[in-house]
């Protein structure tokens, strides 16, 4: 009797119970296993010993992709639009576009045109309502049991993320003559060791142990282990890069005052970005008390330039506006406060943190996003240093081509826009500049300060090759599992 491993013995003794072909389900239940890799492994072993013969049959099977899952649940896009068109006789493309999202309306109508709906002068018309409904119904039914046999397979293959084909190998096992002649009394299981543990190695048991041999050619189930979200992994990578470059990290609150978020940065109190429709002001705390002396300094700067050569913005500065509570609109609110606490010690500081703006959500905008902020303050800090720091950063992130263009921010002079080259195109990733005297003077800062604030999600879109920023936050498990490890 050949040397069999435990799983081989178990499988063989199960199969001795009855003649004929066994499929995977039957083996698993007869052996009381739940891991198909064990069954496949044991089957291979038995076949190597000539006790079992295997037939393998590779089959293409069709599963739903992420869009397919969604369509199965909520209905196909063309079906949803078709229902809407039928419920709203005489409706126009314009009305449709205000009911469905832009990325749905266009492609959805395209699909309906293929089914016999026409769109003329902005209005929908169709002749054979019944046939259109039936065709859509058939497509919807296909998603319930997708296969390669149906003529709809080619249709769905041409649509993005609806279906996926996977190769599966179907196996059956049956006893060979030799297998049938095995005496089941010989098949008592012995203890074999499948896993080497520290305890085993520390004891002396390993000396006489029976080890299960490895067979690297066998299929194994793919382990799904925990891992960082790609966004978290990217943030870690950015931290690593700035730490390598000698920066320290700053972490601070996102509930802030308009005073620090804007006044300290010489953003005029009537600046459009300060309006309710752009900034989330808080009901609680509606107002946060600020040091009157500090506000007096901002007031002087804003109204007439204080002790600087600036003429300020003129008008009347309102301390109540300064004390309004808000969700920070940029992380510059934190670096400026860091400088106010440490106005004289040269520093290199960065932050990667969340900011808030009242944006409507679309492919490239979210109301909550992240910025990569940083400052360098030291004697002689200058524009060249700023640009080369940003270049080094993006180079380390894998984007060696960086350029800057003139820009405007109320708090920096000169001000820059930073762009990186990606697939032959220049993409804007953020702003930078050197803080103006109107910003540094009231805080007692003597050395020049280079500052920048970059979009993290924008960078993530490049790194992860996304065309829709929302993909980062919708918890699409399949997508998350398949992201490269950064
Ligand atoms: N705070 C700016 C923004 O949110 C970026 C910036 C930071 C610009 C620092 C200049 C200096 O877009």
């Amino acid at each position: 009797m050949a040397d069999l491993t435990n799983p081989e013995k178990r499988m063989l003794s199960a199969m001795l119970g009855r003649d004929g072909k066994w499929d995977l389900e039957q083996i698993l239940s007869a052996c009381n296993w739940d891991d198909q890799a064990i069954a496949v492994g044991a089957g291979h072993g038995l076949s190597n010993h000539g006790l079992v013969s295997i037939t393998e049959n590779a089959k293409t099977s069709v599963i739903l992709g992420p869009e397919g899952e969604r369509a199965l649940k909520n209905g196909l896009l063309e079906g949803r639009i078709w229902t809407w068109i039928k419920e709203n006789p005489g409706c126009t493309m314009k009305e449709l576009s205000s009911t469905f999202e832009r990325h749905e309306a266009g492609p959805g109508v395209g699909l309906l045109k293929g089914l016999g709906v026409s769109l003329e002068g902005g209005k929908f018309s169709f002749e054979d309502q019944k046939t259109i409904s039936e065709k859509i119904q058939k497509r919807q039914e296909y998603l319930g049991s997708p296969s390669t046999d149906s003529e709809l397979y080619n249709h769905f293959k041409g649509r993005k993320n609806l279906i996926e084909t996977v190769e599966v190998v179907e196996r059956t096992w049956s006893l060979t003559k030799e297998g049938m002649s095995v005496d089941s009394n010989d098949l008592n299981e012995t203890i074999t060791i499948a896993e080497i543990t520290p305890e085993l190695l520390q004891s002396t048991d390993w000396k006489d142990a029976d080890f299960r041999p490895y067979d690297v050619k066998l299929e194994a189930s793919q382990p799904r282990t925990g891992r960082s979200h790609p966004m978290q992994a990217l943030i870690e990578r950015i931290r690593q890069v700035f730490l390598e470059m000698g920066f320290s990290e700053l972490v601070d609150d996102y509930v802030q005052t308009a005073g620090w978020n804007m006044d300290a940065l010489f953003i005029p109190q009537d600046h459009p970005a300060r309006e309710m429709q752009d900034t989330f002001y808080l009901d609680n705390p509606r107002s946060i008390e600020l040091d009157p002396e500090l506000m007096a300094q901002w007031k002087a700067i804003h109204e007439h330039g204080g002790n600087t050569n600036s003429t300020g913005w003129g008008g009347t500065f309102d301390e109540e506006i300064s004390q309004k509570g808000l969700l920070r609109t940029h992380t510059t609110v934190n670096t400026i406060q860091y400088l106010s606490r440490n106005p004289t010690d040269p520093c290199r500081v960065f932050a990667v943190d969340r900011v808030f703006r009242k944006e409507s959500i679309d492919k490239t905008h979210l109301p909550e996003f992240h910025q990569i902020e940083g400052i360098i303050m030291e004697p002689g800090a200058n524009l060249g240093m700023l640009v080369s720091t940003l270049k080094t950063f993006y180079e380390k992130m894998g984007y060696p081509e960086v350029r800057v263009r003139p820009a405007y921010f109320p708090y920096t002079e000169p001000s820059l826009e930073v762009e990186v080259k990606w697939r032959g195109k220049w993409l804007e990733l953020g702003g930078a500049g050197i803080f103006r005297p109107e910003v540094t003077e009231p805080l007692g800062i003597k050395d020049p300060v280079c500052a920048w604030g970059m979009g993290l999600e924008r960078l993530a879109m490049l790194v992860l090759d996304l065309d829709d920023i929302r993909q980062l936050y919708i918890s699409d498990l399949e997508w998350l599992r398949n992201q490269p490890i950064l």
Side-chain angles (χ1 to χ4, degrees), residues 329-330 332 357 371 373 409 411-412 430-433 435 451-454:
T329 63
H330 55 181
T332 320
R357 290 183 198 171
Q371 288 188 322
E373 189 84 20
F409 300 100
Y411 34 99
T412 48
F435 279 146
W452 61 87
M454 314 284 172

Side-chain angles (χ1 to χ4, degrees), residues 79-94:
R80 287 184 288 124
I81 295 188
W82 177 237
T83 307
W84 184 86
I85 290 178
K86 282 190 300 180
E87 283 169 359
N88 296 278
C91 57
T92 62
M93 182 65 194
K94 201 160 158 216

Side-chain angles (χ1 to χ4, degrees), residues 371-388:
Q371 288 188 322
I372 311 167
E373 189 84 20
I375 46 170
I376 301 177
M377 175 176 73
E378 60 190 49
N382 58 35
L383 203 62
M385 184 186 258
L386 173 60
V387 175
S388 70

Side-chain angles (χ1 to χ4, degrees), residues 266 268 298-306 308-315 436 438:
F266 198 51
W298 293 339
K299 186 178 175 70
I301 289 280
H302 278 245
E303 288 182 357
H304 54 76
T308 66
N309 291 329
S310 169
T311 55
W313 297 110
R436 297 174 69 99
E438 289 93 331

Side-chain angles (χ1 to χ4, degrees), residues 468-480:
D468 193 328
I469 200 169
R470 289 168 288 196
Q471 183 69 38
L472 291 169
Y473 298 112
I474 57 174
S475 303
D476 173 347
L477 282 184
E478 205 42 45
W479 179 79
L480 288 169

Side-chain angles (χ1 to χ4, degrees), residues 364-365 427-429 455-463 469:
T364 51
H365 294 92
L427 294 181
E428 196 208 315
L429 289 192
L456 172 64
E457 278 76 3
R458 275 295 194 88
L459 182 61
M461 287 175 82
L462 306 195
V463 174
I469 200 169

